[in-house]
Amino acid sequence: MRSARLMTATAGAAVLALGLAACGGSDDSSDESTSGEEMSGGGEVEVFTWWAAGSEKAGLDALVGVFEEQHPDYTFVNGAVAGGAGSAAKDLLQSRLQASDPPDTFQAHAGAELQDYIDAAQIEDVSALYDEFGLTDAFPADLVDRLSTEDGAIYSIPSNIHRANVVWANPTVLEDAGLDPAAEYADLDAWYEALDAVEESGQTALSIATTWTQVHLLETVLLSELGPEAYTGLWDGSTDWEGPEVTAALEDFEKLMGYTNDDRDGLDWPDATQQVIDGQAGFNVMGDWAEAAFQEAGAMSPDDYVYFPVPGTDGEFDFLADSFTMPVGAPNPDGTKAWLETVGSVEGQEAFNKAKGSIPARTDADTSDFSEYQQSAVEAFANDTIVSSLAHGAATPIATLNAISDATSKFTTGASDLATFQSELAAANM
Ligand code: BGC
């Protein structure tokens, strides 16, 4: 069965630490509200995310259900701003933070993105809550590193772990194109033959959406072409963005974009994934929040959908995690604490992740009733080489991601050529 491919373990898998190198820069500004006082108060708790609709909202709703059971005195207020990967939410959040109008808590990616908020002194150290809620050993150490500074301060509580390097496919579309839905593709070259076949059958070969999904594709192609070590080197300066390996990867990216739907720039990820669900497209590269969309559509078995690591990335887990923060000046800090307690709890992690397509950040959560895909992701996370996602805040600060996104959009809309694209990517990472 196709899904078994994700379970392939890489013996002695190495974890490539992101080097969320501790800035040590921001003062310890924790106040009484985060230092272990009793939660009381009640009132409204505004939770800012970009899980505004569809399967993402269903995930949030599941978490809210647990919150309401655990903290009936508090009222959840949905501050969600639509736009996949926070494409609209993050700018709006920054305006609010700069205007001293923070929500009670907001979603932030583990890694470099969280570091941005730490450096700007926009979030509090919540390590006291790790002690109070008994979370200290609940999460993998490498994940906690991505939430922490060198001096041991921890700045958020993770809700989930997602995998970015997954291809989702419609087996009927593949069969109609003369392909074996259970076929394996060792690398991108092998995959091109299948993409050609789907294209010749008259369907979109590879569905995609607006810029951030194109950056998402780009990162998986870089990983495929460079391998985990050189890919990680893109973010720590040890891999040359101007080098021939990157040029080759960008050529692959250009080729893959040639298989995609023309209306892409007006779509978001659910639309692109839906094209596969509806049988209008053969393949889609998307993070495993797509799993929740397939589940929501009733796709349960390999007859309904198949999935596999982006060709050339088997044994690699392109990692990202969402987490929740205590903003400086949160209007209802006791309410924030209550939300963070739910996020970190076993019940919260199980309910949320089952619905979200992700895997729990907690290592002691019970995933036995999770989907087959999710079980495979649990295995893969435990055994594969972990690398950091570009499009989802793990690898680079927001400003770098924004510059990469601008360069990508210019390239895919025909406003720049490959050489210009490559030098703009290099400049973005200076
Ligand atoms: C988030 C996921 C979300 C996805 C699409 C990612 O950046 O981490 O939780 O489902 O974007 O919106």
Side-chain angles (χ1 to χ4, degrees):
M1 186 160 43
R2 195 58 174 280
S3 53
R5 300 192 60 210
L6 277 182
M7 301 179 75
T8 311
T10 302
V15 172
L16 295 172
L18 201 207
L20 183 160
C23 71
S26 85
D27 293 333
D28 179 2
S29 49
S30 55
D31 60 22
E32 286 189 349
S33 63
T34 61
S35 63
E37 306 252 304
E38 281 298 298
M39 279 173 256
S40 53
E44 296 190 337
V45 185
E46 188 197 355
V47 177
F48 185 100
T49 70
W50 53 89
W51 301 327
S55 56
E56 294 181 324
K57 173 148 192 318
L60 179 60
D61 288 347
L63 188 55
V64 173
V66 177
F67 177 66
E68 286 171 347
E69 265 172 39
Q70 292 181 342
H71 298 287
D73 293 348
Y74 291 94
T75 307
F76 167 81
V77 174
N78 193 349
V81 174
S87 44
K90 285 195 258 179
D91 282 351
L92 192 73
L93 175 66
Q94 204 42 249
S95 315
R96 285 187 59 178
L97 296 178
Q98 283 174 17
S100 300
D101 174 31
D104 292 299
T105 183
F106 61 84
Q107 172 188 2
H109 288 122
E113 181 181 306
L114 190 75
Q115 189 69 35
D116 277 346
Y117 299 115
I118 300 172
D119 290 346
Q122 290 169 328
I123 52 178
E124 303 275 9
D125 173 6
V126 294
S127 45
L129 297 185
Y130 275 67
D131 295 337
E132 185 178 341
F133 301 153
L135 298 177
T136 310
D137 299 320
F139 305 114
D142 186 55
L143 174 57
V144 176
D145 276 355
R146 295 161 192 251
L147 310 172
S148 309
T149 52
E150 253 168 16
D151 56 9
I154 313 176
Y155 280 86
S156 66
I157 296 186
S159 50
N160 58 296
I161 292 166
H162 273 302
R163 184 179 197 179
N165 58 320
V166 188
V167 180
W168 309 88
N170 183 311
T172 308
V173 174
L174 303 192
E175 269 165 20
D176 290 349
L179 298 168
D180 173 5
E184 304 198 353
Y185 307 103
D187 52 24
L188 294 175
D189 284 338
W191 195 29
Y192 292 142
E193 289 173 31
L195 289 158
D196 284 335
V198 176
E199 196 167 72
E200 276 156 29
S201 78
Q203 305 289 17
T204 298
L206 180 63
S207 64
I208 202 161
T210 191
T211 305
W212 77 261
T213 68
Q214 299 166 23
V215 175
H216 184 115
L217 176 67
L218 173 66
E219 83 180 52
T220 66
V221 172
L222 287 165
L223 179 60
S224 175
E225 184 71 33
L226 299 171
E229 222 153 296
Y231 170 85
T232 299
L234 292 170
W235 319 121
D236 66 17
S238 60
T239 297
D240 180 9
W241 275 95
E242 303 270 20
E245 279 185 316
V246 172
T247 310
L250 299 185
E251 283 164 2
D252 278 315
F253 174 65
E254 182 173 35
K255 188 165 164 101
L256 285 169
M257 287 299 296
Y259 289 107
T260 64
N261 41 305
D262 293 338
D263 60 352
R264 60 198 181 210
D265 289 316
L267 307 180
D268 206 339
W269 80 265
D271 311 302
T273 301
Q274 194 64 37
Q275 290 186 8
V276 171
I277 294 171
D278 290 345
Q280 293 159 6
F283 300 100
N284 173 230
V285 172
M286 192 38 60
D288 53 12
W289 42 92
E291 166 67 3
F294 281 101
Q295 293 287 318
E296 203 168 58
M300 298 293 165
S301 80
D303 292 339
D304 304 318
Y305 73 131
V306 289
Y307 45 82
F308 52 91
V310 168
T313 72
D314 198 9
E316 291 148 30
F317 191 108
D318 186 9
F319 152 95
L320 63 124
D322 295 298
S323 70
F324 283 88
T325 59
M326 165 79 76
V328 169
N332 184 359
D334 283 342
T336 308
K337 257 181 79 170
W339 177 259
L340 294 179
E341 183 172 31
T342 295
V343 166
S345 69
V346 172
E347 298 77 14
Q349 298 253 325
E350 288 175 357
F352 173 66
N353 286 288
K354 187 166 162 44
K356 186 67 169 51
S358 40
I359 62 174
R362 282 190 78 115
T363 51
D364 57 353
D366 178 6
T367 53
S368 54
D369 66 341
F370 279 38
S371 73
E372 203 171 306
Y373 167 77
Q374 286 166 300
Q375 314 256 5
S376 73
V378 170
E379 284 282 326
F381 185 67
N383 295 301
D384 284 6
T385 302
I386 310 293
V387 299
S388 297
S389 168
L390 159 65
H392 306 282
T396 66
I398 292 174
T400 306
L401 174 57
N402 286 346
I404 291 175
S405 301
D406 289 347
T408 304
S409 170
K410 271 177 71 180
F411 181 62
T412 61
T413 56
S416 67
D417 61 14
L418 197 134
T420 309
F421 183 31
Q422 185 164 3
S423 54
E424 288 182 355
L425 291 175
N429 283 282
M430 297 289 277

